[in-house]
Structures are given as C-alpha cells and as structure tokens.
Amino acid sequence: VMKELEIESTRVADPVMLMNTEDLVELAGLKQIFKLPTLFVYMLNISSSYELHIEDLSLVSRDIDCELKIYGIQGAQYFIPSQFYLSLGPCEFVKSIMEAKYIITNSYHGTVIALMLHKPFISLMQEKSEVINQNVRQQELLEWVGLSHHRISVAEIKDKGKLLLEERIDWHKIDKILNDFRLFSLDWLKEAIKD
C-alpha cells in the first residue's frame, strides 16, 4: 500500500516479535493448562459453526493422537462446542501455546508466537471479510521464513493437517530470521525516538 502511494517506509517488527522467547516464558507463568498431549486451536473472526470445521479438526487431533482444545475471540468463541472450549486470559493463552504439542490458528499473532516457541503449526486462511483480513500478514510472514506451505484453507485441514503438523522444521533458521529482524526493528525504533 505504501509503495502504491509512493510513500517511503521502513518495515519493522510487530510488537509481539520484539519480545524474545524468555519474555514469553516469563509471561506464561507456571500454571499448567494441559494434562495430555494437545492440539491447541486458536481462532478469531469466525461467524458460524460451519467455518470452524470441528469435524475436520477432531479428525486431525485423532490422527496425531492429541486432545483437541479450542480458544476463540472476536466472535469465534460463540461457535466452539463446550467439550473443546477454553476460556483463557493473556498469560494462559501464551502458556497454552507453550504447552501444546501442535498449533492450528487463523491468527497472525498466533502464528508468530507458534514460530517463536518452536511449535509445529498450521496457519489457516481467514474467510474473506470486508471488516478484517489477516491473510496478507500471515502470507508475508510465512513466505519470509520459508514456510508458506503451512498456510492453508480450513477446508484443506482434513487432507494436509497431519502431514504439516508432523513436518520437521529448521527452527535454527527461523530463530535467526526472527532475531535479525527483531534487532533491526529495535535499532530503528531507538533512532526514531531520538529524532
């Protein structure tokens, strides 16, 4: 958008990316959330139970031998069946990602935190919406770290879910990319504050 407007800009990290892993661990606290290996699903901007694809998520959780737990915000919470539903505060949310064996999310920040905490993940495309669409941010992030194939539609979960969640990821490479970007962004912010 900035290029189209012919405005010079610098791309810097989202505030969540300015944190390091130790910050996330400290934020999460000590309270245990899950007792069993868990597929943690974090969804937002869902406007019907159909969009949640509970049957497909349940199938994937069985395929990977995990309990299914789902946290939703911005409307998604109203469509989560009670046996899967989690009510979480911010620290519990981070702890849930930390403890989960696998992550499925349609959230940009959920994807970022999964990457930072080295969690096998799938980043789902959000249904097209005139109000909000995070798909561009997710796509750019995953292309940037070389994992664009981990961004799929909810309809593809049944066929691709197990394979993507069990894929080996080079976390050292991801850490280097994120850390370099974090340091660049912090330097940029320090310079911007000086002016």
Side-chain angles (χ1 to χ4, degrees):
V1 170
M2 301 297 277
K3 284 180 186 173
E4 287 175 14
L5 295 173
E6 297 181 5
I7 297 173
E8 184 135 351
S9 64
T10 301
R11 181 179 180 178
V12 293
D14 178 274
V16 171
M17 293 172 111
L18 295 179
M19 299 175 76
N20 58 40
T21 305
E22 292 78 23
D23 296 330
L24 289 173
V25 170
E26 185 178 332
L27 178 66
L30 299 174
K31 179 184 174 188
Q32 183 178 359
I33 307 292
F34 304 128
K35 292 180 174 39
L36 299 170
T38 302
L39 168 59
F40 178 60
V41 177
Y42 169 47
M43 301 290 267
L44 48 91
N45 299 324
I46 298 290
S47 57
S48 73
S49 55
Y50 170 77
E51 288 178 41
L52 205 52
H53 288 257
I54 286 291
E55 297 81 14
D56 295 340
L57 292 171
S58 296
L59 179 66
V60 171
S61 72
R62 283 192 302 273
D63 286 348
I64 58 176
D65 198 26
C66 283
E67 182 176 42
L68 175 62
K69 290 296 177 185
I70 306 172
Y71 172 61
I73 62 170
Q74 298 176 349
Q77 65 273 28
Y78 303 118
F79 304 102
I80 302 168
S82 59
Q83 70 266 35
F84 305 119
Y85 178 77
L86 290 173
S87 176
L88 303 169
C91 296
E92 295 167 318
F93 167 70
V94 174
K95 183 72 168 177
S96 295
I97 294 178
M98 191 175 297
E99 287 185 7
K101 188 169 182 180
Y102 303 104
I103 307 296
I104 295 178
T105 184
N106 69 351
S107 156
Y108 171 80
H109 291 107
T111 302
V112 168
I113 296 171
L115 287 168
M116 291 173 70
L117 293 175
H118 299 178
K119 292 296 170 176
F121 75 98
I122 293 172
S123 186
L124 299 173
M125 293 179 216
Q126 288 190 25
E127 298 292 324
K128 295 289 184 213
S129 167
E130 293 176 19
V131 179
I132 189 165
N133 185 338
Q134 296 196 48
N135 289 330
V136 172
R137 287 198 300 173
Q138 287 168 282
Q139 178 182 350
E140 288 178 349
L141 171 66
L142 294 176
E143 286 174 356
W144 181 47
V145 297
L147 294 172
S148 57
H149 61 287
H150 278 256
R151 183 176 170 271
I152 62 174
S153 70
V154 181
E156 295 175 288
I157 276 285
K158 187 169 46 174
D159 296 328
K160 296 182 178 179
K162 183 178 190 301
L163 184 67
L164 287 173
L165 290 172
E166 293 181 341
E167 178 185 299
R168 180 176 231 109
I169 294 174
D170 182 351
W171 294 114
H172 179 72
K173 174 186 164 192
I174 304 298
D175 286 346
K176 176 152 180 31
I177 292 169
L178 294 180
N179 191 52
D180 288 351
F181 190 45
R182 179 184 305 111
L183 294 175
F184 166 80
S185 299
L186 287 169
D187 287 344
W188 185 90
L189 284 169
K190 287 173 190 171
E191 284 299 313
I193 290 170
K194 270 200 253 179
D195 293 342

